[in-house]
Amino acid sequence: MIYLDYSATTPVEEQVLESYVKACKNFIGNPNSLHRLGVEANTLIEDATKQVASLLKVKPSEVIYTSGSSESNNTAIKGIAFKYQNRGKHIIATELEHSSVIAPLQYLTNLGFEVDFVKLNAIGEIDLEHLKSLLREDTILVTMASVSSEIGILQPIEEVGKLLKSYPKCLFHVDMTQSIGKVNISLENIDLISLSAHKFYGMKGIGVLIKKEGISFDPLIHGGKSTTVYRSGTPALPLIVSLSKALRLSLENLEEKQEEVKRLNFYLREELNKIEGIHINSSNCAIPHILNFSVPGIRPETLQHALEEKNIFISTQTACSKGGSPSTAVMAVTHNEDYAVSSLRVSISHKTTKHELSLFVETLKEVLERLKFTHERIEKNSRS
């Protein structure tokens, strides 16, 4: 099997799984219980939270556990909108956002909120001057992904954070799902941060929303004591412990891992550029872990399933996108509908090998030749 869909989800690290199982077996008490088993479980969560906070350079009190980035994004966006709507109802985002950002924004527009989208430059980065022009007295939130999940564009998050410091009534939320464990970004000037463990070799079903001190909002889930008043429910101790371990492991030797992925990305780009009919959509400012390309004239699902038959797994758009629709992200960057309706995503890791990429490229060539031959034969028959 050749797995090239790491941005959709990552395989669980063995050490992370061991931490999860150990916590399940040895800490059976409810962390909210007052007896010894509960206290022991709660102490373990506190230790894990301290490690998460230390790794992210935030305070333990700023860590809110969620079920994943989708919940974190919804909690941040809706929570801020409802809490601070007395300041205004204007929100700014980009067209590169994940559906768990776009959907709550659409929901809020139905309730009277106004959403503006920042223009992108030729390589897909946000236009900082246009962002400045969009900011108003009633702007309460700017929300954007640090890295586009589809095409991998790395946004100038630190510059945006510094800019927004001049607008104290406007908060800054960053969806860092695709950047945690891949690239270093300072969290200093960000107010709210979303992340999910299964993107950095952790378990599915656990994520984090970082909420800096001094910010408040109403939770999405009410009732029941938890680790924080901002998210009710019995704390998922084994998942929390495993997230802490996954985060620590993902940040170890990060620069070495980045360099390896850069080498792999360079090789893959070179090989794909040699294939006639392929257009690469990910610009040079994309992180090397994600490479989006299009094959106009061929349905991406057809190509995806043809590769799957060879035990090679890539993505069409993102795992959370509606199938069959043009890619909003690719359209926003390329302004080309043919590319937007035929885009595919290869996402790699430091665990990927050059041999795997070589086999992928050779198989892709074979599949494209077969599909092209079939297409030409159908056209010929239709004319006769």
Side-chain angles (χ1 to χ4, degrees), residues 45-46 74 162 164-165 201 290 293 301 317 347 371:
I45 286 182
E46 289 179 347
N74 272 263
K162 290 175 183 176
L164 294 180
K165 284 300 175 183
Y201 312 95
I290 297 175
F293 68 96
E301 294 83 3
Q317 297 189 43
S347 46
L371 291 175

Side-chain angles (χ1 to χ4, degrees), residues 91-92 113 132 157 172 193 304:
I91 300 172
I92 299 173
F113 287 82
K132 289 179 186 178
I157 295 300
F172 188 26
I193 300 110
Q304 180 191 40

